Amino acid sequence: MIKDLFVDNNIAKNFKNPADPEYERLIKWLFEKGHLVLTQKLLKEYHDSNRGNYGQSILSIIARLTKEERIVMISNEQLEILRFSKTIDKKCLKLNKDYWHLKAILLSNRKMAVIIDKAFRDAVNCHPKHEGIQACAVARPEEIDYEN
């Protein structure tokens, strides 16, 4: 199974100056082994937040993973096709842009995410199982076993 992970933009912004050893470990894992879940919408967020930043930024990680074919790209078409029941959809639409990110997490292989925003995290963790797997979102990298 592909060891993929969704990294929200609020987490990726911390990659610029990772004084935190847990972020350094996450960056190292992404560089060496991990697969990053990506959509066009998330890529735009990353670009907007990281203009002019190089080195450990999420953009340099994406460049490397793209070259090594370790991006799990969820297409806009895949996002559109995934439908929720009316009740769930009504709740999820309150997430605004994160509505599409929730869909990307559900369409990823492991359905794992690192997300600072509590409302978004709760929406992921409380969402019904998708393809028999319960999605899982945490606030910090050390709270989830992304390496295995």
Side-chain angles (χ1 to χ4, degrees):
M1 176 191 274
I2 292 175
K3 294 181 179 176
D4 61 353
L5 183 67
F6 178 94
V7 177
D8 194 34
N9 188 44
N10 290 331
I11 295 290
K13 287 190 282 190
N14 293 330
F15 288 3
K16 294 175 201 167
N17 297 311
D20 185 324
E22 291 301 331
Y23 278 92
E24 288 177 358
R25 196 172 125 219
L26 175 59
I27 291 167
K28 185 177 190 287
W29 177 79
L30 281 169
F31 262 120
E32 295 175 359
K33 299 177 187 165
H35 289 69
L36 184 67
V37 175
L38 200 57
T39 66
Q40 286 300 320
K41 293 170 188 338
L42 185 57
L43 185 59
K44 182 179 179 341
E45 279 186 44
Y46 286 161
H47 275 284
D48 291 348
S49 297
N50 288 279
R51 291 200 179 131
N53 290 299
Y54 302 100
Q56 296 278 44
S57 82
I58 190 67
L59 300 179
S60 61
I61 293 169
I62 290 169
R64 179 170 179 161
L65 297 182
T66 300
K67 203 165 30 174
E68 295 177 5
E69 298 181 354
R70 290 191 289 129
I71 295 288
V72 175
M73 182 57 97
I74 309 291
S75 70
N76 287 341
E77 184 179 323
Q78 288 173 287
L79 295 172
E80 290 287 341
I81 290 171
L82 179 59
R83 302 274 182 203
F84 300 142
S85 70
K86 283 186 180 184
T87 314
I88 291 173
D89 201 48
K90 191 174 179 182
K91 277 193 249 180
C92 293
L93 281 170
K94 292 177 185 173
L95 293 170
N96 298 318
K97 66 179 172 48
D98 292 334
Y99 172 82
W100 298 104
H101 297 340
L102 170 62
K103 286 186 168 192
I105 293 164
L106 295 173
L107 291 168
S108 69
N109 294 291
R110 297 195 302 175
K111 299 164 188 17
M112 296 170 72
V114 184
I115 301 165
I116 289 176
D117 180 292
K118 183 173 175 7
F120 182 21
R121 243 188 3 259
D122 289 347
V124 171
N125 291 326
C126 294
H127 198 278
K129 287 183 180 180
H130 185 73
E131 298 172 342
I133 300 171
Q134 180 61 54
C136 177
V138 296
R140 294 203 29 94
E142 68 270 20
E143 296 172 1
I144 198 165
D145 185 11
Y146 57 84
E147 294 174 307
N148 297 305

